[in-house]
Amino acid sequence: MALNVQHSLLALLLLGTDVLIRIHGQETSVSEAWTNKSCKCDCDGAESPTEFSIMGSGSLMKGVDCMPECPYHRPLGFEAGSVSPDQVTCSNQEQYTSWFSSWLPSKARLNSQGFGCAWLSKFQDNSQWLQIDLKEVMVVSGILSQGRCDADEWVTKYSVQYRTDDKLNWIYYKDQTGNNRVFYGNSDRSSSVQNLLRPPIVARYIRILPLGWHTRIALRLELLICMKKCM
C-alpha cells in the first residue's frame, strides 16, 4: 500500500515537472520571437559612427519607426563649439540689445562659464522659446540642460516642439497619453539634467519652450543625436 502511494506521488511529481518544462519552453520561444522582431543596432567598433539615413521621401528614418529608444548617442556640439551661433535663435531676439546682447541664445552652451554663460530670456512668460536649426534632418535622442553659471536662475520644466521643414507646423512632443510631454529640468545652477527621448525625434528644427523657472528663464544645453553604431 505504502509502495503504491509512493509510486503515485512520484508520477505526479514527474508530470508536474514536465508541465513546468513545457511552460518554460513556451515562454522562452515567445521571448525569442519578440527579441527577433525588436529593432537592435550592433556595435561593431570597426566603423565610425553614422546617423540614421532617411527612408524615401518621408520623414521616417531607418530603424526609428520601431525603435523604442536610441542605442547610442553623441553630443550635437553646443559644448564643443561646433554648433554655430546662427543655428540657435530665440523669441523676441531683435530686442536683445544693450546688456541682453551678452546673453543671446547662442550662449546656451553646456558647461559654459564667465559673463554671458547662458541664454537669458528677456521676458518671463510661457511665450518664450529657444530654437535650434540642425541644418539637416537628424534623429534627436536627448536633451541636457543647465542653469546660468553665475546666478541662481534656471528652467525647472519645459516642453519640446519640432518640425522637419520651416514650411510645416510645429509638432509638440507627446507623452504616452497623447498630452504634451513635460520635461523636468534643473533645481540648481550647475547640475546637468538629462532627458532622453523615447522614442527619439526625427526633425531639422527643435524648440525648447520653458514652462517653469527659478527667478528667470536661463538655459545652457546640449542636444544628443542618435547613432546606430557605437563610438
Side-chain angles (χ1 to χ4, degrees):
M1 177 70 175
L3 186 60
N4 289 335
V5 170
Q6 289 178 356
H7 285 168
S8 299
L9 290 174
L10 180 60
L12 288 172
L13 179 61
L14 291 174
L15 178 60
T17 303
D18 181 62
V19 169
L20 288 175
I21 291 172
R22 289 183 181 181
I23 292 173
H24 177 73
Q26 290 173 355
E27 290 177 346
T28 303
S29 64
V30 169
S31 176
E32 289 174 353
W34 172 252
T35 301
N36 291 336
K37 290 180 180 178
S38 63
C39 292
K40 287 191 173 183
C41 295
D42 296 325
C43 172
D44 56 16
E47 301 179 33
S48 60
T50 55
E51 285 81 14
F52 288 84
S53 57
I54 299 175
M55 294 179 64
S57 58
S59 62
L60 289 179
M61 304 185 89
K62 185 177 181 181
V64 177
D65 53 335
C66 60
M67 184 173 62
E69 64 180 280
C70 185
Y72 308 106
H73 315 271
R74 73 164 175 84
L76 177 63
F78 275 87
E79 183 176 7
S82 55
V83 173
S84 61
D86 67 304
Q87 286 182 256
V88 194
T89 55
C90 72
S91 49
N92 307 297
Q93 189 165 336
E94 70 282 354
Q95 300 184 38
Y96 279 61
T97 58
S98 187
W99 183 82
F100 273 97
S101 63
S102 297
W103 304 90
L104 292 168
S106 58
K107 299 299 183 71
R109 298 177 184 274
L110 197 74
N111 294 322
S112 176
Q113 299 296 321
F115 182 73
C117 64
W119 166 55
L120 296 185
S121 176
K122 188 170 183 179
F123 305 99
Q124 314 308 311
D125 58 54
N126 293 132
S127 299
Q128 307 310 306
W129 46 262
L130 183 79
Q131 178 177 313
I132 303 96
D133 180 359
L134 303 174
K135 298 296 187 183
E136 60 181 308
V137 176
M138 294 185 179
V139 183
V140 180
S141 55
I143 301 168
L144 302 176
S145 66
Q146 281 178 315
R148 178 178 170 179
C149 71
D150 57 353
D152 289 335
E153 300 173 357
W154 54 78
V155 173
T156 58
K157 57 182 179 179
Y158 58 90
S159 59
V160 173
Q161 290 180 328
Y162 63 95
R163 61 184 180 183
T164 56
D165 188 274
D166 58 7
K167 297 180 177 63
L168 299 175
N169 293 327
W170 289 99
I171 301 170
Y172 273 99
Y173 190 87
K174 304 286 187 178
D175 59 23
Q176 292 180 343
T177 64
N179 295 316
N180 297 343
R181 168 81 182 274
V182 175
F183 296 89
Y184 289 93
N186 300 86
S187 56
D188 60 44
R189 66 169 75 173
S190 57
S191 298
S192 173
V193 175
Q194 173 181 277
N195 280 298
L196 294 180
L197 301 173
R198 300 184 177 101
I201 291 173
V202 179
R204 173 177 170 175
Y205 300 96
I206 302 290
R207 272 189 181 180
I208 310 297
L209 297 90
L211 300 175
W213 50 88
H214 179 79
T215 308
R216 190 204 300 263
I217 296 173
L219 185 63
R220 290 180 285 170
L221 86 159
E222 182 68 83
L223 294 185
L224 299 178
I225 302 301
C226 187
M227 313 296 291
K228 65 179 180 180
K229 296 184 184 297
C230 66
M231 300 296 286

